[in-house]
Amino acid sequence: MTTPLPIEIDNGETQIHVFYARKMGEKYLERYQKYFKSPVIHEQDMRHEEFLGVYPMEWCALVKEICL
């Protein structure tokens, strides 16, 4: 089952932050850029969910930096 999404999602009040795992391929980056109007891309030279699973302290530090 697939949920269709509108193109260039933007509510004008929030920023969309995306952790992009380069080793998963450019199709994911293209998808983020298609569905979100102005995403803030945080590129990681890793595989899917590797950042959170293998480097949780670094992941937490980046989330904290984004939030503050």
Side-chain angles (χ1 to χ4, degrees):
M1 179 183 288
T2 303
T3 302
L5 294 172
I7 305 298
E8 294 193 352
I9 298 169
D10 179 28
N11 72 0
E13 297 180 12
T14 60
Q15 286 185 323
I16 302 296
H17 290 261
V18 176
F19 292 165
Y20 164 57
R22 276 187 241 139
K23 291 183 180 177
M24 290 298 292
E26 289 220 5
K27 70 179 182 178
Y28 290 93
L29 180 59
E30 292 168 4
R31 183 182 301 164
Y32 302 140
Q33 292 170 334
K34 176 180 179 180
Y35 290 110
F36 301 110
K37 186 173 183 181
S38 300
V40 179
I41 307 290
H42 301 274
E43 290 192 30
Q44 307 297 321
D45 190 27
M46 299 180 192
R47 296 178 307 265
H48 181 67
E49 297 181 357
E50 179 180 355
F51 192 31
L52 175 59
V54 179
Y55 306 99
M57 297 307 292
E58 292 86 347
W59 183 88
C60 289
L62 183 53
V63 171
K64 182 178 178 180
E65 179 183 321
I66 291 166
C67 293
L68 299 178

